[in-house]
Amino acid sequence: MTRFVIVGTGPAGISAARPLLEAGHEVVLLDAGTGRLAPPPADRPALPDQRRLGRSHLLGPDLGGLRDMAAYSPKLRTCASPDFVDGYAPGNRLEPHGFALVGTMAAGGLSNLWGAVCSAFDDDDLGGALPAAALDESYRRVAQRLGLSGTDGDDMASFHGRGLPLQPALPLTPMAQGLLDRYRQQGGAGDFSLGRSRLAVRSEGAHACVLDQLCLWGCGVGAIYNSADELDQLRAFPHLTVEPSVTVTRVGPGWAEAVRDGEILSFRGDRVLLAAGPPASARLALAAMGWVDKRLPIRNAPAFAFAMALPARLGRGLPNRGFGLSQLSFRLDLGGPMRNHALGLLYDAATLAAPDIAAHLPLTRRGAADFLRALMPGLALGLVYLPGEYSANSVTLRADGILDIQGGHAPDFYPAMRRTLAGLGRNFRRLGAWILPGSASAYLPGAEVHYGAVLPVGQVVSALGELPGVPGVHVIDGAVLPRVPAKHHTFAVMANADRIACKLAGEASS
Amino acid sequence: MRILITGGSGYIGTPLLAAAMARGHEVVVLSRRRPAAPVQWFPWDLTAPVPRDCLAGIDAVLHLAHQWDSSRPEAEDENLIGTRALLAAARQAGIRRFVLASSISAREGALNRYGRLKWTLTSELTGTDEVAARIGLVYGGPRLGQWGTMCALAGKLAILPMIGTDKGIQPIHLDDLCEGLLRLAERSEMDRKTWGLADPVSVTFGAWLRLLARTIHHKRLIVVPLPLLLVLLAVRVVNALPLPIKVDPERVMGLAGITTIDSSGDLTALGLALRPVELALAAEGPGPRRLLLREGVILLRAVAGSRPRLRHLRAYARGVERFGGAKPLSLPTTCPTALRAFEPISGPADPTRLKGRLSMAFTIADIGAHGGATAYAQNGEGRVRAVLGLVRTLAVEGLLLPIRLILGRGR
Ligand SMILES: Cc1cc2nc3c(=O)[nH]c(=O)nc-3n(C[C@H](O)[C@H](O)[C@H](O)COP(=O)(O)OP(=O)(O)OC[C@H]3O[C@@H](n4cnc5c(N)ncnc54)[C@H](O)[C@@H]3O)c2cc1C
């Protein structure tokens, strides 16, 4: 029996722990968090009823919803208590500059509040360093664990990945359904495709989505995948040890050093797997390799948001049921010297909170409420991601042990954003939808939380994520992705962790 | 010491009692109403004979009682009669220390009866330990008496026409006054006949009212001076009319006849350092919580157009306390509708400033159930209403935009 020490219980850490435990190995899970984000009550009234009743639940835990989080995902405001994301940077000695760093010290990591959008990376997305075929098996296993729902029957299916075990797609809101129907009638446009989003949200079984539209305020029934839930399942394995509240500060061959309540602890294992989220894992890895003052690129998928109106739906009612995550996905070819495409998501505005939308409107708050009321039945919010090549961030491990993170957009990000907007405007107009002028706004670098490719497989680390010169220490989260494409990367991160763990489990057993 | 306080249930008497007791004095009270504090009390008004037992064992008398309305001729005023009776009784009981609460306006030939009465009584204090305290404009504490009237006056209107605005007044905080009066009772040597208990530095009455508006009400007040003759004429007219209000010309004359005294020597001799007026007034204003609630009413109305519910208001105050630096804003206007003209167009929603606070208010209003405008027409408004609403909103916002560009700058 081989002993594995895994740092982090987010999607990556849990994806590695499962195959190792199933293969009968001993696993020690170290997590800096004391617990997970408390899930909301399962029997809460649906969003429209909450709005009728004026439930302060909508103000988030501890009134955290009143924080100014305009630059971030609204979920940080509505789901997380204010201290949820506060400890990550100081606890991991990360110092972001011009970079909206989001991380957490909690069981389940950021999957406590993620958007659950999943796409499989193809060969292009992996930049050739890792054949997509090497992940096929893992994608299937992970899809099963996630309770992935969606369809193989539309234009986005091949983009998200075909042939995966899927639960039936969740019902769309009338606005999204209308848009998709128009798209189907008109056919694709070559550079543009539209289809359902692929989501780690269960539509079947005991934890099926109850369609209460409250996703933005946390899932009460466990329909949205959260690796904290899976951690609870894994506890059934007798050879698993979970160590909460330990912040790993240093790793080396066969050991990890951590602090708990000021006390220094040491953990031994045959292998140490780092899954503390890309920035934290990168710092631990760089320190282990002794790469001080070496500047490395860290990628994110630069993003922007826009609002779009479907005039045909003006004056209609709002949906009484549905889910509140991304309804539709779209893909737009970017052309130009940069690689491939932009990926976008469409949300139904009625399932979001008006203040988050209004934050990007030049109207008065009162005017925005009136304006949104009129538009809401036909209002979609778009979130568009560009490939990581449009990001220009870097990390440097300083001699004092601090990881300095410098954020930035590549110079051609804004031109690309404008081109993308123009292309989208054209394509959506054909479908009777109008991007509101002036509504587009770029996220701060990093705010979309698709971090990765600091220590790319094949360039820095081995195919199994092992650090050069530090045998037995592997990085298994987004940090070792060869690329950060426009697609959401967590599904690929989980599949890659699963792949590495399966390989290591096999090696150890033989 | 055992101290007799007359008028011990009034605006000054109440805190004076408490201060005296806190210093370990035994207190006996003569007043019309029973004082709140558990002290020995004798019901008395100025026309009644002095109760026999009240002076037993008394070391000092603090005579605060004053009757404002009198239907008698000035020479037979209740205050003269009562004070003389009290003074005589005190002398007879062998009490040497007698402190008369008098006023800065106590002057021979003062414009108002109050000033003349106090002058007359002061001149009758012939004993070595019989003194008069010339008290300035008392402020602070519960909004009672003249202080309460002034606070209300400064808070009601945006523009206040007023007489005597250029007269200098010399304020003294209620607590400082109590301290001063007690020191007069306790002092061993009485080397002065009158003691000025008032700020040596005077402010004009107009400036005082503006200061009250700013510190107590957090608003700006414009004070317009009125000529005295005109006002006296107006008072006559009003009083002649069959109206439910009557204005006492005595009050008008009191304002018109304000004078100043030099109190610095008296204060030094007493070792009394008066608190700085502005700081003391700031402490008299509502606490930050109340200011935040008030701010919440305005901002929530501005974003939702309806009177906010209490729980919305609480959420606002708590939100600002937690995430918005807890400091109330000084709003450019208290009119919710007008506030829209000041809403900045772009820039971050800093929760310590107007834009961020409005966003906070919007987030609270967005949870619904306040009867005002919400961003969700769950059952649909119908096409026509939606389009009309949109056109109207955009028209209003279009008009507001250039105004906000100017007024919203830097907020
Ligand atoms: C609002 C939001 C929406 C998102 N939506 C999507 C989406 O739709 N699709 C998608 O693919 N991705 C999405 N993401 C990103 C996704 O959540 C992350 O990619 C994913 O959680 C990364 O998993 P991870 O296991 O690598 O790291 P994390 O989830 O960050 O977990 C890190 C773990 O490591 C632990 N840890 C950290 N430091 C230490 C330390 N020093 N010692 C010990 N333990 C430590 C933490 O406690 C935690 O358990 C979203 C993120 C956010 C914030």
Side-chain angles (χ1 to χ4, degrees), chain A residues 163-253:
Chain A
L164 297 171
L166 293 181
Q167 298 192 5
L170 295 161
L172 295 176
T173 62
M175 187 274 300
Q177 189 66 57
L179 202 58
L180 192 58
D181 290 346
R182 278 287 282 267
Y183 173 80
R184 288 222 178 96
Q185 287 158 16
Q186 310 232 338
D191 67 339
F192 177 79
S193 359
L194 182 74
R196 285 171 180 274
S197 288
R198 181 85 46 97
L199 296 164
V201 180
R202 289 165 203 281
S203 60
E204 288 180 333
H207 294 285
C209 171
V210 292
L211 303 175
D212 63 8
Q213 297 185 5
L214 280 161
C215 310
L216 184 66
W217 289 268
C219 185
V221 294
I224 303 177
Y225 174 81
N226 180 342
S227 64
D229 291 328
E230 199 173 0
L231 172 63
D232 285 338
Q233 294 163 18
L234 294 184
R235 287 182 205 267
F237 286 97
H239 38 291
L240 169 72
T241 316
V242 182
E243 296 278 1
S245 316
V246 292
T247 303
V248 175
T249 48
R250 289 198 309 157
V251 295

Side-chain angles (χ1 to χ4, degrees), chain B residues 165-181:
Chain B
T165 54
D166 58 337
K167 300 284 186 199
I169 56 117
Q170 293 170 274
I172 180 167
H173 191 271
L174 181 58
D175 294 341
D176 289 341
L177 172 63
C178 293
E179 178 68 31
L181 289 172

Side-chain angles (χ1 to χ4, degrees), chain A residues 8-12 31-32 73 92 104-106 110 115-117 246 248 276 488-490:
Chain A
T9 60
D31 201 292
S73 160
N92 280 305
T104 184
M105 305 288 214
L110 290 176
V117 174
V246 292
V248 175
H488 293 67
H489 68 323
T490 308

Side-chain angles (χ1 to χ4, degrees), chain A residues 1-9 13-14 16-22 24-31 227-244:
Chain A
M1 193 151 88
T2 307
R3 187 176 156 99
F4 290 85
V5 172
I6 302 180
V7 182
T9 60
I14 294 301
R18 184 178 276 279
L20 292 171
L21 288 166
E22 282 173 349
H25 295 293
E26 198 184 336
V27 172
V28 183
L29 273 173
L30 306 182
D31 201 292
S227 64
D229 291 328
E230 199 173 0
L231 172 63
D232 285 338
Q233 294 163 18
L234 294 184
R235 287 182 205 267
F237 286 97
H239 38 291
L240 169 72
T241 316
V242 182
E243 296 278 1

Side-chain angles (χ1 to χ4, degrees), chain B residues 288-317:
Chain B
R289 193 61 200 280
R290 273 187 55 193
L291 283 178
L292 286 182
L293 290 173
R294 192 185 308 173
E295 181 182 307
V297 173
I298 298 165
L299 265 58
L300 283 162
R301 282 189 77 147
V303 299
S306 65
R307 259 200 99 72
R309 293 258 185 112
L310 193 58
R311 72 188 135 123
H312 292 106
L313 269 178
R314 286 223 189 87
Y316 181 83

